[in-house]
Amino acid sequence: MRKPVVLITGAGGEIGHGLIDGLAQRGDRAIVTIDISRLDDTIAKKVDREVTGSILDRALLERLMAEYEIDLIFHLAALLSTRSEFTPVAAHQVNVEGTLSLLEFAQHEGESHGRPVVFIYPSSIAAYGLPSLDEKQNAGKVSEDQYLHPTTMYGCNKLYCELIGTYYARNYKQLAAESHSGRVDFRCARFPGLISALTLPAGGTSDYAPEMIHAAARGENYGCFVRSDTQIPFMAMPDGVDALLALASAPRDGLQRTAYNVGAFSPTAEDIRNVVVKAFPGAEIAWATDDKRQRIVDSWPADVDDNAARRDWGFSPRYDFHRAFSEYLIPTIRKRYA
Ligand code: AKB
């Protein structure tokens, strides 16, 4: 029997690094990746087949479909929020049309192999849009169905893809109930800002947190592009990767939603600066607010309610604010730049 295959799109990005490690350690599936750039050597050696190309290339997807029996997809490829504001049409193409192509691909894979393809989609707090700072302060932990009025192209793309993913999943559930062959088993984790010690973020608006830490560790000055009182939820990358793996292997019957909030800690930019300056005493971090990026983070919730994820698939982050810095970020980043 052929070994089942997992496909990871956008595999060279921040989440892809940790995810490839996690999947390679499990070793239960051959790993096939697609990214527009070559993977770096540390992860390339852990994958069975590396494809360099675009998820918008239909012929490429068709070739993969003919070659492999893919039963799990992590669709990570996306342009992040700040970058998407500069190139909204390109963002729509990659974030929406790319996702639609992948959902169709998953549906055809499911049909041809007679079993559902689990489709894991990382959404974002950018799917929210709180109307004012007052409302943000009073909202408390925001649940999945509140304030879904995104203000950015990326946020609109993420929310819409959650909805079309749910549309494909509905088809799957109906067909499964009628005992036809399964199709797309869409599952989505709505992420806060992710902070990785291993890779640098590119084009996000939550990037001020990782940029602050990496700049301090490199001994460079940093101008933080948001106000000191800015507050959004964050998560250490190992918890982000574990969340995707846990969601992928959760029994279908326990999942009462298709999109789940996940969060870990919710510091202000000042809290992050304080902990970074304590760890790197020479660090020079100034406040240099960029109005456009500030408006984006002001529209994102200060914290999220992730009780549904905890209840339905046992989400439980290992790193709170203190542990994330003292046991993961500071030691790993120190080593990286030593
Ligand atoms: C971004 O800032 O665009 C991302 C996100 C919060 O989804 N990190």
Side-chain angles (χ1 to χ4, degrees):
M1 205 177 120
R2 286 207 289 177
K3 202 175 172 188
V5 174
V6 52
L7 174 69
I8 309 174
T9 71
E14 282 207 285
I15 303 179
H17 270 76
L19 186 64
I20 288 171
D21 269 340
L23 288 164
Q25 266 166 35
R26 286 190 176 187
D28 60 349
R29 281 183 172 80
I31 303 174
V32 176
T33 62
I34 310 186
D35 199 294
I36 41 163
S37 308
R38 295 294 311 273
L39 299 181
D40 66 45
D41 292 344
T42 52
I43 51 169
K45 61 181 184 227
K46 296 180 184 162
V47 312
D48 297 274
R49 166 92 180 274
E50 176 189 348
V51 177
T52 307
S54 165
I55 51 164
L56 296 170
D57 180 347
R58 296 249 161 126
L60 179 66
L61 292 183
E62 270 160 31
R63 278 202 305 279
L64 286 178
M65 195 145 50
E67 237 178 287
Y68 296 104
E69 200 169 312
I70 292 164
D71 69 347
L72 174 59
I73 297 175
F74 291 91
H75 174 38
L76 311 179
L79 299 190
L80 296 182
S81 52
T82 295
R83 167 103 188 264
S84 297
E85 288 308 288
F86 286 104
T87 54
V89 175
H92 190 277
Q93 267 162 359
V94 175
N95 296 348
V96 174
E97 290 167 33
T99 303
L100 185 61
S101 275
L102 255 291
L103 284 165
E104 272 295 307
F105 169 86
Q107 169 141 324
H108 291 146
E109 275 289 288
E111 275 166 0
S112 91
H113 305 305
R115 61 201 162 101
V117 172
V118 175
F119 191 111
I120 302 296
Y121 181 67
S123 184
S124 161
I125 46 165
Y128 291 111
L130 285 95
S132 66
L133 266 180
D134 275 353
E135 187 91 20
K136 171 167 169 156
Q137 268 144 20
N138 295 330
K141 289 180 180 242
V142 169
S143 73
E144 283 87 350
D145 301 320
Q146 291 179 289
Y147 299 111
L148 295 175
H149 302 287
T151 60
T152 58
M153 175 53 94
Y154 172 74
C156 294
N157 296 164
K158 285 290 179 188
L159 182 58
Y160 175 65
C161 288
E162 288 185 14
L163 295 173
I164 48 173
T166 306
Y167 167 84
Y168 278 78
R170 262 195 213 116
N171 279 355
Y172 153 63
K173 275 192 190 155
Q174 270 161 18
L175 286 162
E178 291 158 18
S179 325
H180 294 286
S181 55
R183 294 186 180 184
V184 185
D185 182 355
F186 179 83
R187 306 170 180 201
C188 159
R190 209 180 271 165
F191 277 122
L194 289 166
I195 314 180
S196 168
L198 301 175
T199 46
L200 280 168
T205 320
S206 63
D207 291 359
Y208 60 90
E211 282 176 3
M212 228 189 256
I213 314 166
H214 284 264
R218 286 197 301 259
E220 290 168 6
N221 296 351
Y222 184 68
C224 179
F225 58 79
V226 297
R227 284 189 321 267
S228 58
D229 65 343
T230 301
Q231 190 178 14
I232 58 167
F234 284 99
M235 183 184 287
M237 187 58 84
D239 280 331
V241 168
D242 286 353
L244 292 182
L245 292 171
L247 181 58
S249 44
R252 174 74 251 175
D253 291 349
L255 301 181
Q256 293 178 34
R257 316 182 49 88
T258 44
Y260 287 91
N261 277 343
V262 286
F265 46 87
S266 196
T268 63
E270 173 104 66
D271 294 332
I272 300 172
R273 184 184 183 277
N274 290 343
V275 83
V276 172
V277 170
K278 200 165 161 212
F280 300 96
E284 294 281 348
I285 301 171
W287 304 108
T289 308
D290 174 303
D291 290 342
K292 234 177 144 186
R293 296 180 101 181
Q294 183 69 57
R295 272 197 297 279
I296 295 176
V297 282
D298 283 347
S299 76
W300 294 351
D303 206 352
V304 288
D305 173 355
D306 58 14
N307 278 318
R310 290 172 189 266
R311 178 197 66 209
D312 288 3
W313 45 279
F315 169 69
S316 174
R318 283 176 288 152
Y319 294 99
D320 60 15
F321 182 53
H322 175 73
R323 262 196 90 193
F325 279 80
S326 64
E327 292 180 27
Y328 168 62
L329 293 166
I330 307 283
T332 321
I333 292 181
R334 245 195 236 295
K335 212 158 115 198
R336 180 188 156 124
Y337 295 111

